[in-house]
């Protein structure tokens, strides 16, 4: 890699803004079937996962010092902190790509998808997969079907559909790529293992346990050290991750059940209604009662 090359930390928002794309619903998930001719003249250090294919035309991608050509049979996969640079896009190039953060697929209590040690999304797996014609055609069909459903998702169900459809796309892609991956090359860092263990634990206990000490004890780790690792891997503090789960569950209970605000506060182990209401308003801008009265169409984000 040339020492003078510029490397920029990049989010999905940055992709959308730089290329003047029309944002759909969220800033932690995006999909596209048109490849814009505008692209960054610098190395991108993404904080998101992305994978996809070219359906017409070609792209030249630089990874480290090597430039690769991405054609019709190539599936490209990149992961957070795997830097790359687009060198050239052939005029009229089209493709199918999905971009998403780890939080987007992991945030739900249902734990829709957990990144696996031997997945095509794992570090150590290759960036480019040269597919057979048969596998390429199958994946094209899967991408098109899922993008059609996303384009026609209904109202306030869009977020749930997007997560489940993304999960389906990941599983189908992994099934196809099983024969292309050298599992001996795949590795996972110790910090990533700590994050996954912590994430699984908070999924199970967030309703009743918010203390980092509790999770540190469960994992036989110093809480402060645990906090540093989680921040390093995710960019978020452990408390923010727990609060995200709490607020999503509170929203669900307020909107989909007849539970009183007091009952919701009790279910989430708040000491009283006042403490819960103050917490809820700080994170959402609404009191629980105000939120419950909002029209569902206002709740996509």
């Amino acid at each position: 890699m040339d020492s003078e090359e510029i490397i920029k930390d990049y989010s999905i928002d940055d992709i959308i803004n730089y290329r003047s794309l029309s944002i759909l619903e969220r800033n932690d998930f995006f999909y596209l079937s048109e490849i814009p001719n505008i692209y960054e003249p610098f190395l991108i250090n993404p904080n998101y996962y992305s994978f996809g294919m070219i359906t017409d035309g070609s792209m030249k991608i630089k990874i480290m010092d090597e430039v690769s050509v991405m054609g019709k049979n190539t599936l490209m996969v990149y992961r957070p902190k795997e830097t790359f640079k687009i060198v050239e896009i052939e005029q009229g190039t089209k493709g199918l790509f999905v971009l998403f953060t780890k939080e987007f697929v992991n945030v739900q209590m249902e734990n829709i998808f957990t990144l696996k040690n031997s997945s095509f999304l794992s570090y150590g797996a290759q960036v480019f997969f040269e597919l057979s014609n048969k596998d390429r055609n199958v994946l094209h069909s899967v991408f098109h079907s899922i993008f059609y459903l996303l384009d026609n998702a209904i109202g306030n169900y869009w977020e749930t559909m997007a997560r489940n459809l993304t999960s389906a796309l990941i599983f189908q892609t992994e099934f196809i790529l099983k024969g292309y991956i050298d599992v001996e090359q795949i590795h996972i860092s110790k910090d990533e293992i700590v994050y996954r263990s912590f994430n699984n634990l908070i999924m199970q206990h967030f309703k009743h346990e918010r203390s980092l000490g509790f999770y540190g004890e469960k994992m036989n780790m110093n809480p402060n050290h645990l906090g540093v690792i989680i921040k390093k891997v995710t960019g978020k503090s452990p408390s923010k991750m727990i609060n995200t789960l709490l607020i999503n569950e509170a929203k669900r209970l307020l909107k989909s059940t007849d539970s009183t605000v007091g009952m919701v506060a009790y279910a989430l182990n708040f000491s009283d209604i006042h403490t819960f209401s103050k917490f809820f308003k700080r994170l959402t801008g609404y009191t629980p009662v105000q939120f419950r009265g909002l029209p569902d169409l206002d709740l996509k984000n």
Side-chain angles (χ1 to χ4, degrees):
M1 185 181 299
D2 298 334
S3 59
E4 67 271 15
E5 284 238 58
I6 297 173
I7 302 175
K8 291 191 177 183
D9 293 336
Y10 236 56
S11 67
I12 293 174
D13 267 346
D14 292 324
I15 289 282
I16 291 167
N17 293 333
Y18 190 92
R19 305 184 192 190
S20 301
L21 301 172
S22 298
I23 191 165
L24 299 176
E25 303 287 341
R26 305 178 58 88
N27 61 8
D28 54 1
F29 172 78
F30 194 72
Y31 65 98
L32 70 161
S33 55
E34 297 291 334
I35 306 298
N37 289 324
I38 300 172
Y39 53 88
E40 296 79 0
F42 44 79
L43 283 162
I44 289 174
N45 183 31
N47 70 352
Y48 53 88
Y49 291 85
S50 179
F51 65 95
M53 312 177 69
I54 294 297
T55 56
D56 287 295
S58 65
M59 295 173 62
K60 289 184 179 179
I61 311 290
K62 181 179 182 180
I63 298 176
M64 300 299 288
D65 284 325
E66 184 176 345
V67 176
S68 300
V69 178
M70 185 176 178
K72 291 183 180 181
N73 281 57
T74 309
L75 177 77
M76 180 183 182
V77 182
Y78 59 89
R79 307 151 188 97
K81 306 303 181 185
E82 289 190 340
T83 59
F84 71 95
K85 178 183 178 181
I86 298 174
V87 176
E88 182 183 334
I89 299 179
E90 182 183 345
Q91 189 69 29
T93 294
K94 297 181 180 179
L96 302 160
F97 283 85
V98 60
L99 296 74
F100 55 92
T101 65
K102 183 178 296 185
E103 290 75 21
F104 182 75
V105 291
N106 268 354
V107 72
Q108 293 288 68
M109 282 66 70
E110 295 92 335
N111 206 8
I112 291 173
F113 181 75
T114 301
L115 301 177
K116 299 192 300 183
N117 291 0
S118 59
S119 167
F120 72 99
L121 293 175
S122 298
Y123 293 102
Q126 59 261 46
V127 174
F128 298 106
F129 295 86
E130 295 301 323
L131 306 178
S132 67
N133 290 337
K134 177 182 177 181
D135 288 339
R136 176 200 65 195
N137 291 337
V138 170
L139 267 185
H140 278 190
S141 177
V142 173
F143 268 97
H144 280 300
S145 298
I146 286 177
F147 284 12
Y148 173 81
L149 292 171
L150 286 170
D151 285 337
N152 294 278
I154 301 171
N156 60 305
Y157 294 104
W158 188 92
E159 181 178 325
T160 300
M161 288 185 67
R163 280 200 170 94
N164 281 282
L165 289 170
T166 302
S167 176
L169 179 59
I170 290 170
F171 278 119
Q172 183 62 51
T173 303
E174 180 164 335
F175 177 77
I176 290 174
L177 293 182
K178 282 169 64 177
Y180 295 84
I181 295 175
D182 181 358
V183 295
E184 293 183 359
Q185 297 299 314
I186 292 178
H187 68 275
I188 180 171
S189 70
K190 292 181 179 179
D191 288 350
E192 180 73 16
I193 292 172
V194 169
Y195 161 74
R196 294 183 188 184
S197 298
F198 176 74
N199 191 62
N200 288 336
L201 281 172
I202 63 173
M203 289 285 190
Q204 299 172 49
H205 301 289
F206 75 91
K207 294 180 185 179
H208 303 289
E209 296 291 347
R210 314 204 231 292
S211 166
L212 189 57
F214 169 84
Y215 296 102
E217 183 177 349
K218 283 279 187 181
M219 298 172 65
N220 295 315
M221 288 186 65
N222 178 282
N224 292 332
H225 183 52
L226 173 59
V228 169
I229 290 175
I230 298 305
K231 179 74 173 178
K232 176 182 175 183
V233 174
T234 68
K236 297 180 180 180
S237 66
S239 61
K240 187 170 184 179
M241 292 179 63
I242 295 169
N243 286 347
T244 297
L245 292 173
L246 280 169
I247 209 68
N248 286 342
E249 178 67 358
K251 288 178 178 179
R252 186 188 72 80
L253 291 171
L254 289 167
K255 277 293 183 178
S256 63
T257 74
D258 294 326
S259 300
T260 66
V261 174
M263 292 167 67
V264 173
Y266 178 79
L268 297 179
N269 201 32
F270 283 86
S271 57
D272 52 54
I273 295 177
H274 174 72
T275 303
F276 169 67
S277 298
K278 186 176 179 180
F279 168 84
F280 192 90
K281 186 168 184 178
R282 177 168 61 84
L283 270 68
T284 67
Y286 300 101
T287 68
V289 173
Q290 289 171 335
F291 179 83
R292 180 166 257 169
L294 289 174
D296 287 345
L297 291 179
D298 290 345
L299 304 179
K300 291 180 183 178
N301 296 315

